[in-house]
Amino acid sequence: MLGRAIRSMEVMVHSSTFLLPKLRQPANSPAKKYALVVLNQNLPRFVPRLWTHAKLRICADGGANRIFDEMFQMTNDPDYESTRKRYIPEIIEGDMDSIRPEVKQFYSSQGSKISDKSHNQETTDLHKCISRIHRCTPDHEKTNLCVLVTGALGGRFDHEAANINILYLFSDMRIVLLSDDCLIRLLPKTHKHEIYIESSVEGPHCGLFPVGAPSGSTTTTGLKWNLSEAKMRFGSMISTSNIVHAERVTVQSDADLLWTISLRNLT
C-alpha cells in the first residue's frame, strides 16, 4: 500500500538555477520568482548573483549591516557609495537589536521599509521575515516562489537549528538555506522529488536525512550509493557523504527529508 501511495504522488521539481548568471539560465527551465532574505552572517560570495535574481530583498535586522559593509567587496564597482545605493533592500525586518543606527538611517533615507518587531521576542528574525513573505504571497503563487536565505548556516549551532526548523514550520513554501559551502532544502513527504543538478555550481557531495521523524522507506536514483526502501533515523543510518552521479536525482520517502549538496567555488 505504501509503495502504491508514493507512486501516485505529485512530482515536485527542484533546481539551483538561481546560482547561475542570468545569461546562463536554461531556456527550458520554468520561470520562478525568488525572494532573498539576508541574515546577520558573512555574505556568501555569490550574493550579488542572488540579488539580481530576486524580486524581493529583505534584510533580517543585522543582515542590513552585512549588505552595507560587504557588498562592495563582491563587486567590481570602484565607487563605494554607488555600490551601496545600488543594493537597497525593500524591507528590513526584525527586533532591531543588531542593525547599526547609521545603517538603519541610510537605508531608510533610500526608501527601505523599516519593520520594527521588537515587541515580538517569541520568534527569530528569520521567522518574522518568512512570515511576512508567507502572508503576502497568495496560496496559488507559493509553489512558484522560492525563498533564498543567506547566512543561515555557520555560526552558532542553535541558530542553525532554528533556521532548519523554519523549513518545517513553512513546509508549504520552497525555502533554500545557503552558505558558501552548501545549501539545504526540505523534501516534504507529500511529494515525489526530482532534483536537477547544476554541476557547474553544485556537487558532487550530497546528503539526505530525516529530522524530527524517522523514515521507514526511502528510495533514490542518481546517487553513487542509492537507497532502496531504506530505513533512516538518527542513532542509526543516514545518508551522508554521498555523491551525485546523474543530472537528475529522484527521491521518494515516507518522511520529510533534508537534502543538502555542496557548492562549488562560485565567482
Side-chain angles (χ1 to χ4, degrees):
M1 289 294 293
L2 177 60
R4 287 196 293 273
I6 289 177
R7 283 193 292 274
S8 67
M9 289 180 180
E10 292 184 10
V11 174
M12 183 178 287
V13 177
H14 310 268
S15 74
S16 300
T17 54
F18 52 83
L19 292 172
L20 299 172
K22 277 200 168 183
L23 293 177
R24 289 175 53 197
Q25 293 294 302
N28 59 350
S29 65
K32 275 217 177 303
K33 293 183 179 178
Y34 295 103
L36 175 64
V37 178
V38 179
L39 302 185
N40 190 14
Q41 289 283 345
N42 291 335
L43 298 181
R45 56 195 176 277
F46 46 81
V47 165
R49 190 173 295 177
L50 304 183
W51 194 279
T52 300
H53 285 299
K55 300 300 183 185
L56 173 67
R57 300 98 170 181
I58 302 179
C59 287
D61 196 357
N65 297 339
R66 302 292 178 165
I67 297 295
F68 189 85
D69 294 337
E70 299 176 25
M71 285 295 273
F72 179 78
Q73 305 167 20
M74 302 180 181
T75 68
N76 295 320
D77 191 338
D79 187 335
Y80 194 84
E81 289 304 317
S82 70
T83 299
R84 280 185 173 164
K85 291 180 179 179
R86 191 163 72 251
Y87 295 100
I88 304 295
E90 283 78 17
I91 302 168
I92 300 173
E93 180 119 6
D95 59 12
M96 304 297 152
D97 64 345
S98 299
I99 186 171
R100 302 197 306 271
E102 72 273 17
V103 174
K104 183 178 178 181
Q105 173 59 36
F106 173 78
Y107 287 123
S108 179
S109 71
Q110 296 298 313
S112 297
K113 175 181 173 61
I114 309 298
S115 179
D116 187 338
K117 293 294 194 296
S118 56
H119 61 279
N120 178 4
Q121 295 297 316
E122 300 300 317
T123 60
T124 66
D125 287 336
L126 177 58
H127 191 290
K128 294 176 176 67
C129 293
I130 300 297
S131 292
R132 170 183 286 275
I133 296 170
H134 191 271
R135 287 194 312 271
C136 296
T137 305
D139 288 343
H140 69 277
E141 293 183 9
K142 284 187 172 73
T143 57
N144 197 44
L145 175 70
C146 183
V147 183
L148 311 173
V149 184
T150 70
L153 306 172
R156 281 171 43 186
F157 179 69
D158 60 330
H159 287 172
E160 287 185 308
N163 295 336
I164 290 171
N165 191 44
I166 292 295
L167 302 181
Y168 289 82
L169 289 172
F170 296 93
S171 60
D172 61 334
M173 298 183 68
R174 294 173 182 260
I175 303 173
V176 182
L177 307 182
L178 293 147
S179 73
D180 266 325
D181 303 309
C182 69
L183 64 79
I184 298 176
R185 66 172 89 231
L186 182 70
L187 306 183
K189 64 183 178 183
T190 51
H191 289 73
K192 291 182 185 179
H193 298 275
E194 294 183 355
I195 306 166
Y196 288 85
I197 306 301
E198 299 294 340
S199 58
S200 65
V201 293
E202 63 182 345
H205 300 97
C206 64
L208 193 66
F209 42 89
V211 174
S215 167
S217 177
T218 296
T219 298
T220 67
T221 67
L223 302 179
K224 183 174 182 180
W225 295 285
N226 278 310
L227 305 174
S228 178
E229 299 182 354
K231 295 180 179 180
M232 291 194 296
R233 65 179 177 85
F234 278 91
S236 183
M237 189 201 80
I238 58 175
S239 178
T240 62
S241 300
N242 214 323
I243 302 288
V244 291
H245 254 205
E247 292 183 356
R248 186 186 71 152
V249 171
T250 67
V251 180
Q252 302 177 38
S253 183
D254 62 351
D256 296 336
L257 301 178
L258 291 180
W259 164 261
T260 183
I261 189 167
S262 59
L263 299 183
R264 297 184 184 274
N265 187 18
L266 306 180
T267 56

